[in-house]
Short mmCIF file of all heavy atoms in Angstrom, two decimals:
data_model
loop_
_atom_site.label_atom_id
_atom_site.label_comp_id
_atom_site.label_asym_id
_atom_site.label_seq_id
_atom_site.Cartn_x
_atom_site.Cartn_y
_atom_site.Cartn_z
N PHE A 43 259.83 95.73 188.52
CA PHE A 43 258.96 96.49 187.57
C PHE A 43 258.47 97.78 188.07
O PHE A 43 258.56 98.80 187.41
CB PHE A 43 257.81 95.59 187.07
CG PHE A 43 256.99 96.24 185.99
CD1 PHE A 43 257.32 96.03 184.62
CD2 PHE A 43 256.00 97.13 186.28
CE1 PHE A 43 256.58 96.67 183.60
CE2 PHE A 43 255.28 97.82 185.29
CZ PHE A 43 255.53 97.57 183.92
N LEU A 46 261.38 100.20 188.10
CA LEU A 46 261.71 100.69 186.77
C LEU A 46 260.58 101.70 186.29
O LEU A 46 260.94 102.72 185.70
CB LEU A 46 261.82 99.55 185.75
CG LEU A 46 263.00 98.66 186.00
CD1 LEU A 46 262.86 97.37 185.21
CD2 LEU A 46 264.32 99.41 185.78
N ALA A 50 261.18 105.80 185.59
CA ALA A 50 260.90 106.41 184.29
C ALA A 50 259.80 107.46 184.41
O ALA A 50 259.28 108.02 183.42
CB ALA A 50 260.43 105.34 183.28
N LEU A 52 256.76 106.78 185.45
CA LEU A 52 255.51 106.13 185.00
C LEU A 52 254.82 105.39 186.16
O LEU A 52 253.87 104.58 185.84
CB LEU A 52 255.80 105.16 183.76
CG LEU A 52 256.51 105.82 182.61
CD1 LEU A 52 257.02 104.71 181.76
CD2 LEU A 52 255.50 106.73 181.93
N TYR A 56 250.92 102.15 186.38
CA TYR A 56 251.04 100.75 186.66
C TYR A 56 250.75 100.41 188.08
O TYR A 56 251.27 101.07 188.96
CB TYR A 56 252.33 100.20 186.21
CG TYR A 56 252.62 100.36 184.69
CD1 TYR A 56 253.34 101.49 184.30
CD2 TYR A 56 251.99 99.61 183.79
CE1 TYR A 56 253.55 101.72 182.99
CE2 TYR A 56 252.20 99.84 182.40
CZ TYR A 56 252.93 100.89 182.04
OH TYR A 56 253.21 101.18 180.70
N PHE A 134 259.29 88.58 177.09
CA PHE A 134 259.73 89.93 176.97
C PHE A 134 261.25 90.07 177.04
O PHE A 134 261.75 91.19 177.10
CB PHE A 134 259.07 90.74 178.00
CG PHE A 134 257.53 90.70 177.97
CD1 PHE A 134 256.84 89.92 178.96
CD2 PHE A 134 256.80 91.23 176.94
CE1 PHE A 134 255.45 89.76 178.85
CE2 PHE A 134 255.41 91.11 176.94
CZ PHE A 134 254.76 90.18 177.78
N PRO A 136 264.72 90.03 175.38
CA PRO A 136 265.19 90.00 174.12
C PRO A 136 266.32 88.94 173.97
O PRO A 136 266.67 88.63 172.79
CB PRO A 136 265.71 91.39 173.93
CG PRO A 136 265.73 91.98 175.24
CD PRO A 136 264.92 91.27 176.09
N ARG A 164 266.05 92.30 182.76
CA ARG A 164 265.99 92.50 181.37
C ARG A 164 264.53 92.40 180.88
O ARG A 164 263.98 93.10 179.96
CB ARG A 164 266.85 91.43 180.73
CG ARG A 164 267.53 91.83 179.44
CD ARG A 164 268.64 90.74 178.95
NE ARG A 164 268.29 89.42 179.08
CZ ARG A 164 269.09 88.58 179.64
NH1 ARG A 164 270.22 88.91 180.23
NH2 ARG A 164 268.74 87.29 179.77
N SER A 165 263.83 91.32 181.33
CA SER A 165 262.39 91.08 180.87
C SER A 165 261.52 92.23 181.34
O SER A 165 260.63 92.67 180.59
CB SER A 165 261.88 89.74 181.47
OG SER A 165 262.71 88.67 181.06
N SER A 166 261.70 92.72 182.58
CA SER A 166 260.93 93.79 183.09
C SER A 166 261.15 95.12 182.20
O SER A 166 260.17 95.88 181.94
CB SER A 166 261.27 94.15 184.57
OG SER A 166 260.86 93.03 185.34
N ARG A 167 262.40 95.41 181.90
CA ARG A 167 262.68 96.63 181.12
C ARG A 167 262.04 96.55 179.76
O ARG A 167 261.41 97.47 179.25
CB ARG A 167 264.20 96.77 180.95
CG ARG A 167 264.94 97.26 182.06
CD ARG A 167 266.41 97.56 181.77
NE ARG A 167 267.19 97.90 182.99
CZ ARG A 167 267.10 99.02 183.54
NH1 ARG A 167 266.35 100.01 183.04
NH2 ARG A 167 267.77 99.20 184.72
N GLU A 168 262.01 95.33 179.11
CA GLU A 168 261.37 95.16 177.81
C GLU A 168 259.82 95.17 177.94
O GLU A 168 259.12 95.73 177.12
CB GLU A 168 261.88 93.95 177.18
CG GLU A 168 261.37 93.69 175.80
CD GLU A 168 261.76 94.63 174.77
OE1 GLU A 168 262.59 95.54 175.00
OE2 GLU A 168 261.17 94.67 173.60
N LEU A 169 259.27 94.59 178.97
CA LEU A 169 257.94 94.63 179.19
C LEU A 169 257.41 96.04 179.28
O LEU A 169 256.44 96.52 178.64
CB LEU A 169 257.46 93.75 180.39
CG LEU A 169 256.05 93.95 180.91
CD1 LEU A 169 255.13 93.48 179.77
CD2 LEU A 169 255.82 93.06 182.15
N LEU A 170 258.12 96.86 180.11
CA LEU A 170 257.76 98.32 180.24
C LEU A 170 257.81 99.04 178.95
O LEU A 170 256.93 99.75 178.57
CB LEU A 170 258.61 98.92 181.35
CG LEU A 170 258.33 100.40 181.62
CD1 LEU A 170 256.95 100.64 182.11
CD2 LEU A 170 259.38 100.90 182.71
N ARG A 171 258.96 98.77 178.20
CA ARG A 171 259.06 99.49 176.98
C ARG A 171 258.01 99.04 175.96
O ARG A 171 257.41 99.92 175.30
CB ARG A 171 260.44 99.07 176.34
CG ARG A 171 260.80 99.84 175.04
CD ARG A 171 261.87 99.20 174.15
NE ARG A 171 261.45 97.97 173.49
CZ ARG A 171 260.58 97.86 172.46
NH1 ARG A 171 260.00 99.00 171.99
NH2 ARG A 171 260.26 96.72 171.93
N ARG A 172 257.65 97.78 175.93
CA ARG A 172 256.61 97.39 175.03
C ARG A 172 255.24 97.82 175.43
O ARG A 172 254.45 98.06 174.54
CB ARG A 172 256.66 95.85 174.88
CG ARG A 172 257.95 95.39 174.06
CD ARG A 172 258.03 93.97 173.87
NE ARG A 172 256.93 93.45 173.12
CZ ARG A 172 256.72 92.13 172.92
NH1 ARG A 172 257.57 91.20 173.41
NH2 ARG A 172 255.78 91.71 172.14
N LEU A 173 254.93 97.94 176.73
CA LEU A 173 253.65 98.44 177.24
C LEU A 173 253.56 99.85 176.73
O LEU A 173 252.58 100.30 176.26
CB LEU A 173 253.52 98.29 178.72
CG LEU A 173 253.18 96.90 179.23
CD1 LEU A 173 253.53 96.80 180.71
CD2 LEU A 173 251.72 96.58 178.90
N GLU A 174 254.67 100.76 176.95
CA GLU A 174 254.67 102.08 176.67
C GLU A 174 254.50 102.35 175.20
O GLU A 174 253.98 103.35 174.73
CB GLU A 174 255.98 102.81 177.24
CG GLU A 174 255.91 102.92 178.71
CD GLU A 174 254.64 103.85 179.14
OE1 GLU A 174 254.62 104.97 178.74
OE2 GLU A 174 253.83 103.35 179.92
N ALA A 175 255.07 101.44 174.31
CA ALA A 175 255.00 101.55 172.88
C ALA A 175 253.66 101.00 172.37
O ALA A 175 253.48 101.05 171.15
CB ALA A 175 256.15 100.75 172.28
N GLY A 176 252.80 100.52 173.20
CA GLY A 176 251.53 99.94 172.81
C GLY A 176 251.66 98.63 172.09
O GLY A 176 250.74 98.22 171.38
N GLU A 177 252.79 97.89 172.28
CA GLU A 177 253.09 96.61 171.69
C GLU A 177 252.43 95.46 172.37
O GLU A 177 252.42 94.30 171.87
CB GLU A 177 254.49 96.44 171.43
CG GLU A 177 255.18 97.48 170.50
CD GLU A 177 256.65 97.40 170.41
OE1 GLU A 177 257.26 96.41 170.95
OE2 GLU A 177 257.29 98.25 169.88
N VAL A 178 252.10 95.64 173.66
CA VAL A 178 251.46 94.64 174.52
C VAL A 178 250.11 95.04 174.93
O VAL A 178 250.01 96.08 175.50
CB VAL A 178 252.38 94.34 175.74
CG1 VAL A 178 251.72 93.36 176.62
CG2 VAL A 178 253.76 93.91 175.32
#
Side-chain angles (χ1 to χ4, degrees):
F43 185 90
L46 293 170
L52 302 168
Y56 299 98
F134 307 105
R164 213 169 40 233
S165 300
S166 295
R167 285 186 188 282
E168 182 65 8
L169 172 57
L170 180 60
R171 186 198 70 73
R172 290 180 62 186
L173 283 164
E174 286 301 300
E177 297 171 12
V178 176

